[in-house]
Amino acid sequence: GEDVEQSLFLSVREGDSSVINCTYTDSSSTYLYWYKQEPGAGLQLLTYIFSNMDMKQDQRLTVLLNKKDKHLSLRIADTQTGDSAIYFCAEILDSGGYNKLIFGAGTRLAVHP
Amino acid sequence: KAGVTQTPRYLIKTRGQQVTLSCSPISGHRSVSWYQQTPGQGLQFLFEYFSETQRNKGNFPGRFSGRQFSNSRSEMNVSTLELGDSALYLCASSIQGETDTQYFGPGTRLTVL
């Protein structure tokens, strides 16, 4: 089935690390994505990871993939108030030979001083 | 390179009317996908176009339709608007390469009164 699950809310203190978790269902997904959405805006692509990788690091962002458990996480180091947003995890699903993105419900990250 | 643009950004309509939303993809991108985002249902896939052909369709009624032009620009149309059609409509384009990574526009906020 098509189901990507995320916790709905995360609150962290400025300067701490944030870890946003996601589980997905399609073990054949080739790419998994993290998008960020700020209030009133569209989705900004943050990063993606290929399914044959365990980890990808990009500046303050670290993505970990556990393919056996179908678990994906996004770690934001030194979280800032500008990181406050909704973060969406998404997997690629092969739909009759064509790809479509399946999104989780999004995790709202609140960063407080 | 300019990003994905959507027009208009905001729209207010009344029940029973119809609406047309426009999306211009990133230059060189031939695939355009549309999503509906609501607080209750999250991000839901509407349809995807490639080379003027609809390749993929989500579970939406026939009131929702779209098309793509030869320059890859896309429009979506919603006829006989209902209150529940109030949402943020997001367009995404991709280059149809290996990752099929989708890049999103800022969205059109549709309010149906």
Side-chain angles (χ1 to χ4, degrees), chain A residues 8-38:
Chain A
L8 293 182
F9 189 76
L10 177 66
S11 178
V12 299
R13 186 170 301 190
E14 192 174 13
D16 287 351
S17 292
S18 308
V19 180
I20 303 171
N21 295 301
C22 166
T23 56
Y24 60 98
T25 53
D26 190 347
S27 58
S28 65
S29 289
T30 52
Y31 288 90
L32 296 130
Y33 299 85
W34 285 103
Y35 285 88
K36 174 184 179 183
Q37 187 177 37
E38 298 183 41

Side-chain angles (χ1 to χ4, degrees), chain A residues 3-12 18-24 34 71-74 85-89 103-110:
Chain A
D3 204 9
V4 177
E5 294 188 355
Q6 302 177 238
S7 52
L8 293 182
F9 189 76
L10 177 66
S11 178
V12 299
S18 308
V19 180
I20 303 171
N21 295 301
C22 166
T23 56
Y24 60 98
W34 285 103
H71 182 265
L72 184 72
S73 69
L74 174 70
I86 302 176
Y87 290 81
F88 292 92
C89 162
F103 287 89
T107 299
R108 183 178 295 274
L109 174 64

Side-chain angles (χ1 to χ4, degrees), chain A residues 64-85:
Chain A
L64 295 177
L65 175 61
N66 181 329
K67 202 172 177 186
K68 174 176 166 288
D69 295 337
K70 297 180 195 164
H71 182 265
L72 184 72
S73 69
L74 174 70
R75 178 177 180 270
I76 305 173
D78 187 26
T79 313
Q80 302 298 307
T81 54
D83 295 324
S84 295

